């Protein structure tokens, strides 16, 4: 079993920045894929960014150029979502999602509980 904990959300003014973190714990042998998704009120959950274990990344059009996914070199199972030039339309609950392998080589898809990001003046 894998647990994900997101943190770092909050209220920020338009044009500001936030850094979200996602820490994975549990019986993890390796994490193959890290994803960030978000869900705004009344909307479906949408993809933000994906990073493979090899470091390849792909961003949504709305995130490209403003957001960055970063690996913590000191903490093997922690990544960050650096969000710059935030806009009111970035307001959403942000979710971390991973595809992870445990020591029995079972591959699972796991979600965190989400962290609220509100962009408002």
């Amino acid at each position: 079993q894998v647990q994900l904990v997101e943190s770092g959300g909050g209220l920020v003014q338009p044009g500001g920045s936030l850094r979200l973190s996602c820490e994975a714990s549990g019986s993890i042998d390796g994490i193959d894929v890290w994803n960030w998704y978000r869900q705004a009120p009344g909307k479906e959950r949408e993809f933000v960014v994906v990073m493979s274990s090899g470091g390849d990344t792909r961003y949504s059009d709305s995130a490209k150029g403003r957001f960055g996914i970063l690996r913590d070199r000191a903490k093997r199972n922690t990544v960050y979502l650096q969000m710059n030039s935030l806009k009111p339309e970035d307001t959403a609950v942000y979710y971390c999602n991973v595809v992870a392998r445990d020591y029995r080589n079972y591959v699972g898809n796991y979600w965190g509980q989400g962290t609220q990001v509100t962009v408002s003046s």
Side-chain angles (χ1 to χ4, degrees):
Q1 194 62 274
V2 175
Q3 296 81 40
L4 300 177
V5 177
E6 302 105 327
S7 61
L11 173 65
V12 63
Q13 293 188 340
S17 298
L18 277 177
R19 175 175 285 200
L20 308 183
S21 65
C22 176
E23 182 174 359
S25 62
S27 302
I28 303 170
D29 184 43
I31 295 177
D32 295 329
V33 179
W34 294 87
N35 292 290
W36 283 95
Y37 284 80
R38 67 185 184 184
Q39 188 166 18
K43 295 189 176 181
E44 293 187 353
R45 193 170 296 188
E46 66 173 6
F47 164 79
V48 177
V49 59
V50 57
M51 182 173 69
S52 71
S53 58
D56 294 329
T57 59
R58 179 171 60 87
Y59 293 86
S60 67
D61 288 342
S62 61
K64 207 173 296 183
R66 300 187 300 126
F67 293 4
I69 186 168
L70 311 168
R71 195 191 306 267
D72 191 319
R73 299 295 179 185
K75 300 177 184 177
R76 189 170 75 101
N77 293 327
T78 299
V79 296
Y80 304 98
L81 181 65
Q82 177 68 41
M83 304 187 295
N84 302 320
S85 303
L86 283 162
K87 307 173 182 179
E89 52 264 43
D90 294 317
T91 295
V93 178
Y94 283 71
Y95 296 91
C96 182
N97 165 258
V98 301
V99 176
R101 289 171 285 107
D102 66 16
Y103 294 111
R104 299 168 299 170
N105 216 31
Y106 169 78
V107 180
N109 190 311
Y110 303 94
W111 292 87
Q113 82 287 353
T115 185
Q116 176 70 48
V117 171
T118 302
V119 185
S120 175
S121 54

